[in-house]
DNA sequence: ATGGTTGCTTAGCAA
């Protein structure tokens, strides 16, 4: 069995003790992080190494930043899309392990529909599609995990009427997300349960967590060969308890 | 009604 986790930590240094707790509690083979909010040199490599992991890091000052932690280093890694677009945002990291390719993605939030950030988000998702088609094959054993900042369906939203046409839920975002799936990926959580609630993010504002006003926006997308080996996919809600949690919960994937 | 909180960086932005 292999256990792979994705978690938007919302600052890896603020959440360091919680990160070490997740590593100890779940003992994952691979852990993808988003929103590090630090440069490469600011990543807590020593503490992570002491826990038995090493980290491939794509950092950035103040914002964004993604990482892939593993017990053994990947054979190869790639930062970003390797395309010609000039974009300083650290939002995508690919790591090739023997028999499995893992991608940690932090899709742009988009702020609000119709804004510049919204169109940047739609373009970013289109770039992700191009990247997948150019650098990967649906025949590969591939897991694309991360914060997609899209709730794929109304089932993934605590109050669909309130969120209708809002950021994270708009038709164009959902269509752009479906284009990513059309590469040859399946939503692991939904593959295992068509109806289950699986919120992974709650707005800090207005007590989102205490009211369970959540959205399912952190996802694990698998190619067919990986999807066929799915055992479990679940949200670690316990991580939200106690002082200073992230506004996202970890999503855990188990494959045979 | 455009609220509310958190993090980074230093009053404003991003989420």
């Amino acid at each position: 069995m292999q256990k792979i986790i994705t978690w938007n930590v919302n600052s890896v240094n603020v959440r360091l003790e919680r990160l070490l707790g997740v590593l100890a509690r779940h003992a994952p083979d691979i852990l993808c992080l988003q929103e590090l909010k630090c440069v490469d040199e600011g990543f807590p490599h020593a503490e992570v190494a002491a826990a038995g992991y090493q980290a491939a890091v794509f950092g950035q000052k103040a914002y964004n930043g993604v990482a892939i932690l593993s017990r053994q280093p990947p054979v190869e890694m790639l930062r970003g899309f390797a395309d010609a677009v000039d974009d300083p945002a650290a939002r995508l990291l690919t790591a090739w392990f023997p028999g499995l390719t893992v991608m940690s993605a932090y899709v742009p939030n988009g702020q609000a529909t119709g804004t510049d950030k919204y169109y940047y988000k739609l373009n970013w998702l289109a770039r992700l599609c191009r990247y997948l088609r150019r650098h990967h094959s649906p025949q590969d054993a591939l897991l694309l995990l991360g914060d997609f900042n899209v709730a794929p369906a109304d089932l993934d939203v605590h109050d669909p009427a309130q969120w209708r046409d809002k950021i994270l839920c708009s038709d164009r975002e959902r269509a752009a997300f479906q284009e990513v799936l059309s590469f040859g990926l399946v939503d692991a959580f939904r593959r295992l349960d068509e109806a289950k609630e699986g919120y992974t993010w709650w707005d800090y504002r207005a007590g989102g967590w205490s009211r369970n006003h959540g959205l399912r926006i952190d996802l694990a997308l698998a190619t067919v060969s990986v999807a066929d080996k799915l055992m479990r996919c679940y949200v670690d809600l316990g991580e939200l308890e106690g002082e200073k949690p992230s506004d996202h919960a970890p999503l855990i994937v188990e494959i045979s």
Side-chain angles (χ1 to χ4, degrees):
Chain A
M1 191 269 283
Q2 264 193 310
K3 186 185 274 193
I4 300 111
I5 299 180
T6 182
W7 186 26
N8 179 323
V9 280
N10 187 15
S11 171
V12 70
N13 284 301
V14 166
R15 229 65 64 192
L16 178 56
E17 289 307 314
R18 284 182 173 272
L19 170 60
L20 298 176
V22 166
L23 291 174
R25 190 161 70 251
H26 292 287
D29 297 281
I30 298 168
L31 172 60
C32 296
L33 295 175
Q34 299 87 35
E35 280 210 84
L36 304 177
K37 296 189 170 179
C38 67
V39 295
D40 292 4
E41 306 77 55
F43 188 89
H45 285 285
E47 293 85 346
V48 164
Y53 291 83
Q54 63 84 50
V57 177
F58 185 18
Q60 178 188 338
K61 185 180 178 184
Y63 301 116
N64 308 320
V66 288
I68 299 176
L69 280 58
S70 54
R71 296 197 179 276
Q72 301 297 326
V75 176
E76 193 180 340
M77 61 176 275
L78 176 65
R79 294 157 190 256
F81 293 111
D83 62 13
V85 178
D86 182 26
D87 184 357
R91 294 182 175 276
L92 183 72
L93 182 63
T94 305
W96 282 265
F97 297 95
L100 183 67
T101 304
V102 175
M103 301 172 61
S104 180
Y106 177 45
V107 177
N109 172 279
Q111 191 175 56
T113 58
T115 62
D116 289 349
K117 290 192 176 72
Y118 181 68
Y119 294 111
Y120 172 75
K121 176 183 197 171
L122 296 176
N123 285 329
W124 197 94
L125 286 165
R127 282 172 73 197
L128 178 58
C129 289
R130 283 199 300 277
Y131 166 77
L132 287 167
R133 296 202 163 94
R134 285 177 186 173
H135 293 86
H136 300 276
S137 161
Q139 318 301 331
D140 295 344
L142 185 151
L143 264 176
L144 165 54
L145 311 103
D147 175 1
F148 285 78
N149 269 316
V150 178
D154 280 352
L155 173 60
D156 303 312
V157 182
H158 71 91
D159 185 345
Q162 179 196 322
W163 281 86
R164 185 170 183 80
D165 298 329
K166 297 291 194 304
I167 197 68
L168 313 184
C169 298
S170 73
D171 290 344
R172 292 184 70 177
E173 289 166 86
R174 285 177 171 173
F177 172 71
Q178 290 301 319
E179 279 296 306
V180 176
L181 292 184
S182 77
F183 164 76
L185 294 164
V186 298
D187 180 341
F189 187 86
R190 279 287 164 256
R191 157 64 72 98
L192 292 171
D193 196 315
E194 289 183 354
K196 192 174 173 183
E197 176 186 300
Y199 305 150
T200 63
W201 171 78
W202 300 258
D203 201 326
Y204 277 133
R205 299 166 291 188
W209 166 239
S210 61
R211 301 164 189 223
N212 196 28
H213 289 181
L215 273 69
R216 190 176 72 93
I217 59 175
D218 297 87
L219 310 171
L221 310 182
T223 51
V224 173
S225 64
V226 178
D228 285 346
K229 295 193 292 184
L230 273 174
M231 305 289 288
R232 296 180 72 197
C233 182
Y234 64 99
V235 182
D236 179 11
L237 296 177
E239 173 53 35
L240 275 289
E241 303 298 335
E243 294 299 306
K244 289 177 86 71
S246 171
D247 48 352
H248 295 252
L251 180 73
I252 294 92
V253 180
E254 295 178 7
I255 55 179
S256 61

